[in-house]
Amino acid sequence: MGGKGCGTVRAIRGLWRWRHNPLRRTTDLVEAWVALAALLLILAAAPLVGSLVASATRHTLQDAVRSQQRTRHEVVATVVKKLDRSPVEVDPDATTARDTRSRVVADWPGPDGTARRGTVLALLENPHRGDHFGVWTDADGRIVARPLDAATATTHAVLAGVGAGVLTAGLLEGGRRFAVWHMVRRRYARLDQAWDKAGPDWGRTGTGS
């Protein structure tokens, strides 16, 4: 975004420079005004879009947080046996990179009190039969990921808002550059046409008299 912003600022400076310059062309002023309009839109639209996206995302994620916290429950599971063929794995939900899980066969209680058994990841580096560890289950007793917490949801919402704002600014700057590119192409096309008309008489005695 730094390069895009600098390009816009340089073009806006041109608006002042070309005001009373006798060499100015209409397109020079138009390009500068386009840059000014793009900057004003970026300053107004990017924060607004970012705020709206962040707010909408936060509400959606907070609803998910409340739903998951109602329907997911932490229970104690018991190791039946470790699956030796499965290596220790990094826990994708862990708070630190050092937290690891081992794949084990375990028992855990379902919502109706019935014992469930299955292969799960235990937050144990070297599990043994009878070891206990916590797991999260849904209303049917199936193993699920831990519920999303409010702080994480807020962080995701902020990141979504920042991304939306940056994307909006990029699109507006891209639109400005496309408009300027189109004007430059038209300018060169007119110059080519003028040169084609003047070319056959260029250098002849009395031309233009």
Side-chain angles (χ1 to χ4, degrees), residues 8 51 114 119 166 169 185 206:
T8 302
S51 177
T114 304
T119 300
V166 171
R185 285 196 61 186

Side-chain angles (χ1 to χ4, degrees), residues 4 13 28 35 55 67 74 107-108 132 139 151 176 184 206-207:
K4 295 177 182 178
R13 288 175 180 172
D28 294 322
S55 179
S67 175
E74 188 174 20
D107 291 332
W108 66 90
H132 301 293
R176 180 195 72 83
V184 170
T207 299

Side-chain angles (χ1 to χ4, degrees), residues 44-64:
L48 177 61
V49 171
S51 177
L52 291 175
V53 170
S55 179
T57 304
R58 183 175 63 82
H59 283 114
T60 299
L61 291 179
Q62 293 297 342
D63 287 342

Side-chain angles (χ1 to χ4, degrees), residues 4-208:
K4 295 177 182 178
C6 290
T8 302
V9 171
R10 287 195 298 269
I12 292 173
R13 288 175 180 172
L15 184 61
W16 180 267
R17 186 176 66 250
W18 287 114
R19 284 195 318 153
H20 303 298
N21 194 316
L23 299 178
R24 76 180 183 189
R25 296 161 297 193
T26 302
T27 53
D28 294 322
L29 288 178
V30 172
E31 289 176 19
W33 279 111
V34 167
L36 178 60
L39 178 61
L40 294 177
L41 282 173
I42 289 173
L43 293 177
L48 177 61
V49 171
S51 177
L52 291 175
V53 170
S55 179
T57 304
R58 183 175 63 82
H59 283 114
T60 299
L61 291 179
Q62 293 297 342
D63 287 342
V65 168
R66 289 187 289 269
S67 175
Q68 291 181 8
Q69 290 179 346
R70 285 195 307 268
T71 59
R72 299 184 182 187
H73 312 280
E74 188 174 20
V75 299
V76 176
T78 303
V79 175
V80 175
K81 65 176 181 178
K82 179 183 178 181
L83 298 179
D84 294 332
R85 64 181 180 276
S86 178
V88 174
E89 302 179 9
V90 176
D91 177 11
D93 295 326
T95 56
T96 68
R98 292 188 297 273
D99 291 338
T100 57
R101 289 192 175 188
S102 301
R103 193 173 298 276
V104 301
V105 175
D107 291 332
W108 66 90
D112 57 358
T114 304
R116 305 295 179 91
R117 174 172 292 188
T119 300
V120 298
L121 289 175
L123 188 54
L124 301 168
E125 186 172 351
N126 188 24
H128 297 87
R129 181 181 178 85
D131 288 347
H132 301 293
F133 61 97
V135 295
W136 288 91
T137 65
D138 61 14
D140 296 322
R142 293 187 296 262
I143 300 295
V144 294
R146 68 163 60 96
L148 184 67
D149 61 86
T152 302
T154 299
T155 300
H156 289 333
V158 171
L159 292 176
V162 171
V166 171
L167 178 60
T168 300
L171 290 174
L172 289 171
E173 174 63 15
R176 180 195 72 83
R177 292 193 175 199
F178 177 79
V180 171
W181 172 79
H182 184 67
M183 286 187 289
V184 170
R185 285 196 61 186
R186 291 185 60 185
R187 179 194 304 165
Y188 283 133
R190 288 194 296 268
L191 288 174
D192 288 341
Q193 291 174 359
W195 180 257
D196 289 341
K197 292 179 180 179
D201 295 328
W202 183 261
R204 292 182 181 178
T205 303
T207 299

